[in-house]
């Protein structure tokens, strides 16, 4: 035999408060020449929507951009930023708009001003050299890396040699094939 049903009770089950998201792009300390960088972060359990803040101070006392995406959106492309150092962070909100803690912050630098072209110093223009010379140039005030190319044609449309990123202001490339 079965008894009668007990009295009913009403309960409310709330979704958990989401944890802080993990930031993925841009990396901490990133340098970009794009004034509209793209931001990405990982999803979290109970995260429905995400809010992003961009600030010029790591305390986020003021923000230059704030974004809250549609459910599931984990990316944001900034509206144009002026050159400078910025900080960003993200928090998740559950389906009831209860927010979890902010992620740790990351910094990034927007630098859209290219450095001046370096002045070539060695070998002198028009000289004749035997073998592969050491090429050098004057440092440029705001440059931190250089790239060197040479070609057997003055238009440099199909370089014979292109270096990787250089931090020095000189390079001796591999032996130059000087048949033409």
């Amino acid at each position: 035999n079965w008894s009668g049903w007990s009295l009913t009770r009403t309960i409310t089950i709330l979704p958990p408060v989401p944890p802080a998201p993990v930031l993925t792009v841009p990396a901490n300390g990133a340098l970009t020449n794009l004034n509209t960088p793209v931001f990405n972060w990982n999803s979290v359990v109970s995260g429905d929507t995400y809010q992003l803040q961009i600030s010029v101070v790591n305390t986020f006392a003021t923000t230059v951009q704030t974004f809250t995406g549609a459910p599931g959106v984990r990316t944001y492309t900034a509206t144009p930023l002026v050159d400078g150092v910025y900080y960003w962070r993200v928090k998740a909100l559950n389906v009831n708009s209860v927010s979890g803690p902010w992620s740790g912050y990351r910094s990034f630098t927007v630098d859209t001003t290219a450095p001046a072209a370096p002045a070539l110093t060695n070998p002198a223009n028009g000289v004749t050299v035997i073998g592969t010379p050491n090429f050098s140039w004057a440092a440029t005030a705001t440059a931190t890396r250089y790239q060197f190319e040479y070609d057997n044609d003055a238009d440099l449309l199909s370089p014979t040699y292109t270096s990787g990123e250089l931090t020095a202001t000189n390079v001796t490339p591999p032996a130059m094939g000087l048949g033409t």
Side-chain angles (χ1 to χ4, degrees), residues 32-94:
T32 180
N33 61 359
L34 300 173
N35 67 348
T36 56
V38 175
F39 300 86
N40 292 302
W41 53 91
N42 289 338
S43 64
V44 295
V45 173
S46 298
D48 181 54
T49 59
Y50 297 86
Q51 186 177 61
L52 173 137
Q53 289 182 331
I54 302 171
S55 180
V56 293
V57 291
N58 65 7
T59 61
F60 295 85
T62 59
T63 57
V64 291
Q65 291 184 35
T66 300
F67 166 77
T68 301
V73 172
R74 293 179 290 110
T75 188
Y76 172 67
T77 301
T79 57
L81 298 166
V82 298
D83 285 8
V85 176
Y86 294 90
Y87 301 89
W88 70 290
R89 66 183 182 176
V90 175
K91 69 178 176 180
L93 293 85
N94 67 21

Side-chain angles (χ1 to χ4, degrees), residues 6-171:
S6 65
L7 297 175
T8 61
R9 290 190 177 183
T10 301
I11 63 169
T12 302
I13 299 174
L14 298 174
V17 173
V22 174
L23 307 179
T24 56
V25 174
N28 193 38
L31 176 64
T32 180
N33 61 359
L34 300 173
N35 67 348
T36 56
V38 175
F39 300 86
N40 292 302
W41 53 91
N42 289 338
S43 64
V44 295
V45 173
S46 298
D48 181 54
T49 59
Y50 297 86
Q51 186 177 61
L52 173 137
Q53 289 182 331
I54 302 171
S55 180
V56 293
V57 291
N58 65 7
T59 61
F60 295 85
T62 59
T63 57
V64 291
Q65 291 184 35
T66 300
F67 166 77
T68 301
V73 172
R74 293 179 290 110
T75 188
Y76 172 67
T77 301
T79 57
L81 298 166
V82 298
D83 285 8
V85 176
Y86 294 90
Y87 301 89
W88 70 290
R89 66 183 182 176
V90 175
K91 69 178 176 180
L93 293 85
N94 67 21
V95 294
N96 292 340
S97 297
V98 175
S99 66
W102 287 105
S103 64
Y105 66 82
R106 286 187 176 179
S107 68
F108 66 97
T109 302
V110 173
D111 182 1
T112 59
T113 305
L120 304 177
T121 56
N122 189 45
N125 192 33
V127 302
T128 300
V129 296
I130 297 173
T132 302
N134 179 271
F135 294 88
S136 62
W137 52 91
T140 302
T142 59
T144 57
R145 295 180 301 248
Y146 302 91
Q147 188 172 37
F148 172 82
E149 289 184 345
Y150 72 77
D151 195 345
N152 59 356
D153 193 351
D155 66 11
L156 286 166
L157 292 177
S158 56
T160 304
Y161 172 78
T162 301
S163 74
E165 289 186 357
L166 304 169
T167 55
T169 56
N170 64 74
V171 64

